[in-house]
């Protein structure tokens, strides 16, 4: 089995979506399908169950994933260590981000680099359908996520950003021209969902309005990019953080402040059992900027 085909299999097992897998690996969906079919012919059994609505691993696929994933990570980590050594770098810190607002955290990254010039900080995107999975799987070392986070195995570090919550709507939506909106307005709307677990989603998208009317959760998305066409088409609205208005400014989408939403607080997270000196140093850099 070629290394690229292994990468395609592992990525599809993670995404469970041919289109997202192709986008993530910068190949065509046909290339993904071809690689999986070739692997299934070689093994003599299906690795994925496919339907028009979902993709899922078969029992043999799950076993293959469990066997290949650690070896693949080890191979890449070995190559990365060799590359860093050749370039004079002594370490790497992988920072998981749920959003695309990397520049908002440039002062933090610069402060960390000043303290550790031989260490490379790398940004990794984390989908909010499984926001804590990459930490637990060791794919990222530290992550920036909105609070609250109540996970026994994860440590919550310093707050690194506080910002308002806004409502994103299509430009032609009835609320688009408002100066502000209220949570009460959402009783008449369908709100985009997808964030998990429920308590974490409800910090951004409550289950009901202040008067107790239910808020309908509609299309499920797991990445920022999936929000935009749904909003533009007027299918639903979305509660998002205010940085979205700067990073995703578009003529077909309006961002309206939510006047009764508490400010969102973003903090560093890391796995308590995997805390390292580099993670502690990154947290110290964050505290020094906050102070």
């Amino acid at each position: 089995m070629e290394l690229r085909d292994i990468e395609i299999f592992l990525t599809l097992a993670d995404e469970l979506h041919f289109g997202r897998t192709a986008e993530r690996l910068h190949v065509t969906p046909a290339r993904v399908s071809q690689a999986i079919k070739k692997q299934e012919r070689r093994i003599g059994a299906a690795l994925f169950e496919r339907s028009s609505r979902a993709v899922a691993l078969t029992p043999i696929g799950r076993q293959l994933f469990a066997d290949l994933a650690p070896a693949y990570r080890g191979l890449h980590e070995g190559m990365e260590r060799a590359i860093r050594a050749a370039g004079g770098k002594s370490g790497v810190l992988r920072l998981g981000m749920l959003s695309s607002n990397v520049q908002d955290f440039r002062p933090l990254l610069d402060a960390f680099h000043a303290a550790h010039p031989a260490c490379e900080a790398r940004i990794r995107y984390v989908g909010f359908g499984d926001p804590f999975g990459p930490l637990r799987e060791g794919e990222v070392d530290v992550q920036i996520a909105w609070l609250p986070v109540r996970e026994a195995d994860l440590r919550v570090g310093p707050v690194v950003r506080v910002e308002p919550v806004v409502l994103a709507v299509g430009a032609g939506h009835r609320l688009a021209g408002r100066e502000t909106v209220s949570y009460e307005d959402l009783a008449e709307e369908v709100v985009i969902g997808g964030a998990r677990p429920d308590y974490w989603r409800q910090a951004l998208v409550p289950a009901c309005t202040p008067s107790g009317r239910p808020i309908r959760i509609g299309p499920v998305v797991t990445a920022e990019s999936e929000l935009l066409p749904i909003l533009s088409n007027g299918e639903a609205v979305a509660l998002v953080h205010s940085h979205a208005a700067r990073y995703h400014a578009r003529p077909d989408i309006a961002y309206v402040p939510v006047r009764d939403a508490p400010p969102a607080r973003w903090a560093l997270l890391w796995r308590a059992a995997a805390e390292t000196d580099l993670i502690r140093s990154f947290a110290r850099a964050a505290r020094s900027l906050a102070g």
Side-chain angles (χ1 to χ4, degrees):
M1 189 181 294
E2 297 179 5
L3 185 60
R4 184 58 162 170
D5 290 343
I6 293 174
E7 184 179 32
I8 289 173
F9 166 74
L10 293 174
T11 305
L12 182 58
D14 180 39
E15 293 285 354
L16 296 177
H17 190 283
F18 280 80
R20 287 198 298 270
T21 298
E23 182 179 356
R24 183 166 150 186
L25 296 178
H26 306 289
V27 299
T28 65
R31 173 70 177 91
V32 176
S33 180
Q34 178 188 38
I36 297 303
K37 287 178 181 177
K38 183 171 70 173
Q39 293 171 47
E40 290 177 330
R41 285 195 301 269
R42 179 174 182 180
I43 291 169
L47 300 175
F48 294 90
E49 296 174 351
R50 308 162 177 84
S51 73
S52 59
R53 301 180 61 183
V55 176
L57 282 163
T58 64
I60 291 175
R62 287 195 295 272
Q63 182 60 58
L64 184 62
F65 179 82
D67 290 340
L68 290 182
Y72 182 80
R73 280 199 302 269
L75 177 64
H76 268 268
E77 288 169 0
M79 289 296 295
E80 288 178 355
R81 283 193 294 271
I83 292 169
R84 289 197 304 272
K89 298 291 185 181
S90 62
V92 62
L93 184 81
R94 298 163 299 174
L95 175 63
M97 293 196 63
L98 291 151
S99 189
S100 55
N101 60 329
V102 176
Q103 289 306 310
D104 290 341
F105 299 101
R106 182 55 55 192
L108 172 56
L109 295 170
D110 289 346
F112 175 72
H113 181 69
H116 295 275
C119 181
E120 181 181 3
R122 296 183 180 176
I123 305 298
R124 294 292 180 264
Y125 176 75
V126 176
F128 43 77
D130 182 21
F132 312 130
L135 270 178
R136 288 174 171 140
E137 294 297 323
E139 296 171 9
V140 299
D141 304 304
V142 64
Q143 182 172 320
I144 298 175
W146 71 75
L147 298 178
V149 173
R150 297 191 291 268
E151 305 293 316
D153 59 328
L154 301 184
R155 182 160 296 166
V156 178
V159 171
V160 293
R161 182 171 178 80
V162 179
E163 64 180 326
V165 171
V166 300
L167 185 70
V169 300
H173 191 275
R174 68 180 184 90
L175 299 174
R178 296 270 196 94
E179 290 188 5
T180 65
V181 294
S182 164
Y183 278 136
E184 206 63 45
D185 293 312
L186 300 182
E188 301 174 21
E189 301 295 335
V190 176
V191 182
I192 293 174
R196 293 288 183 272
D198 285 343
Y199 81 84
W200 189 66
R201 172 186 58 80
Q202 288 173 9
L204 180 62
V205 185
C208 59
T209 71
S211 69
R213 292 190 293 171
I215 294 176
R216 291 177 294 165
I217 305 300
V220 171
V221 302
T222 59
E224 281 183 321
S225 59
E226 297 173 357
L227 290 169
L228 304 178
I230 296 172
L231 294 171
S232 178
N233 197 41
E235 299 174 42
V237 302
L239 286 161
V240 299
H241 301 96
S242 63
H243 69 259
R246 291 181 288 110
Y247 286 86
H248 300 292
R250 294 166 43 136
D252 56 340
I253 296 176
Y255 298 92
V256 187
V258 182
R259 60 179 176 271
D260 51 351
R265 299 165 63 244
W266 295 74
L268 298 183
L269 307 176
W270 59 88
R271 192 157 56 96
E275 184 173 309
T276 64
D277 288 340
L278 283 179
I279 292 173
R280 285 189 285 269
S281 180
F282 196 74
R284 283 196 298 272
R287 291 189 186 96
S288 68
L289 291 175

